[in-house]
Each structure stands twice: as structure tokens, then as C-alpha cells.
Amino acid sequence: MYLEAPTYQPSTSGPSAFLAGGITNCPDWQQAAAAALADFTVFNPRRRHFPIDDPGQTPVQIAWEYHHLALADLTLFWFPACDPKLTTQPITMYELGAAAATPTRRIVVGTDPDYPRETDVHTQLRHARPGLIVHTTLQDTLTAARRTLLQLRLSPPPASPAVGPGRPKEPT
């Protein structure tokens, strides 16, 4: 199942992945990722048509991301190459820090060698998640994500409620 912001899905069946990574002023890597993970549930925060001129959409987007980050079984982080004059993907760095500091959170991380803060990603994860492999291509990152999701499909974790302690409620 493919789910793109701002659409909500009350529950999922089978393993799911949230696509965390550069959006604004970054290449649309999410479409390739969604295609590669099409046999799993994919939460894509990148909207095809984001109404950038509507300031009311920012809280809607952030609420959607928080909800689906908590709902996902795995967060796939990809830091694509980008122009540092336009972005260094600060929201993704924030999300990575939060996920890396949560020992129970499953993450797969990759950074293009031309991502301007690549060294920061490696250094932070060396402290927060020693031994975690940081992949250098989107393909390797997707392969690692598929491997993790397939393992979850074969031996799923105990069921937990979609909404409850530690899980955000869908905005009303």
C-alpha cells in the first residue's frame, strides 16, 4: 500500500516504512523508493502538489509526519546530494536525531557522498547507534530496508495499537 501526505490510513497490514529524507530543493528520490518497496506499506511525506502558498498546510504536514513516523515499523533515511546554498535538509537531520536516540526505533540510513553534511550523519550515528551501517547509495539503502521489512514479515513483532501510549492520535 502506498500512502502520500496528507492522506491518513487508520491501520496497516504487514510491515511499513516511512520515507524520511530531503524534499524541498532535493531530487524526488521518494518515487524510486516507493516503487522498490511497493510490496510493503510505504508512507511518503512528499506530496505531488504541496500548496506552498498556504501557511495552514505546514501544521497539517507536520502532524501527518509525526503520526506516520510513529506508525511505521521502519524509518528509511536518505540524504540526497543537494545544493547547500538551498538546503542541508535540517528537518531530516532532526528526525534522524530523534529516531537514533530511540533504541527501539528501526532505522536504515543512507547518505549520498555529495550530501553536504555527510560527515555529520556518520559522526552522530557513530555515537548514537554504534555499528549501524550508513549506506552510500539509494539502491543499497533500499536493499537494506527491504531486508529489514522482509524479516518483519517473516517474524512480526507483537501487535501494538495504532493509537495509544506513545502513538499520536489522528488530528480531527
Side-chain angles (χ1 to χ4, degrees):
M1 174 178 61
Y2 175 81
L3 193 65
E4 183 177 299
T7 304
Y8 278 84
Q9 178 70 23
S11 64
T12 62
S13 60
S16 59
F18 184 96
L19 304 181
I23 295 177
T24 305
N25 296 311
C26 291
D28 186 358
W29 62 272
Q30 290 90 347
Q31 288 306 310
L37 302 174
D39 49 333
F40 302 101
T41 298
V42 175
F43 302 127
N44 184 1
R46 185 183 206 128
R47 300 188 200 186
R48 286 190 189 113
H49 305 288
F50 185 81
I52 197 72
D53 296 326
D54 180 357
Q57 286 301 305
T58 297
V60 170
Q61 182 72 20
I62 291 170
W64 186 94
E65 291 185 22
Y66 266 85
H67 178 82
H68 291 89
L69 278 164
L71 193 62
D73 296 304
L74 170 74
T75 305
L76 181 157
F77 287 93
W78 175 246
F79 293 87
C82 61
D83 182 343
K85 294 176 191 144
L86 300 176
T87 187
T88 55
Q89 305 169 45
I91 294 169
T92 307
M93 287 291 274
Y94 170 80
E95 291 169 344
L96 176 63
T102 306
T104 57
R105 188 79 203 133
R106 287 181 205 87
I107 60 174
V108 171
V109 181
T111 176
D112 187 288
D114 292 328
Y115 169 59
R117 306 297 300 260
E118 177 203 16
T119 301
D120 295 340
V121 172
H122 285 274
T123 303
Q124 292 292 335
L125 289 172
R126 214 174 358 261
H127 292 284
R129 294 281 183 107
L132 180 77
I133 295 170
V134 178
H135 304 279
T136 58
T137 67
L138 179 57
Q139 184 58 51
D140 288 348
T141 307
L142 292 169
T143 298
R146 283 191 61 77
R147 189 176 320 114
T148 300
L149 292 166
L150 285 168
Q151 288 170 347
L152 286 171
R153 181 179 284 158
L154 295 174
S155 55
S160 62
V163 176
R167 299 260 187 194
K169 293 182 180 176
E170 182 175 333
T172 53

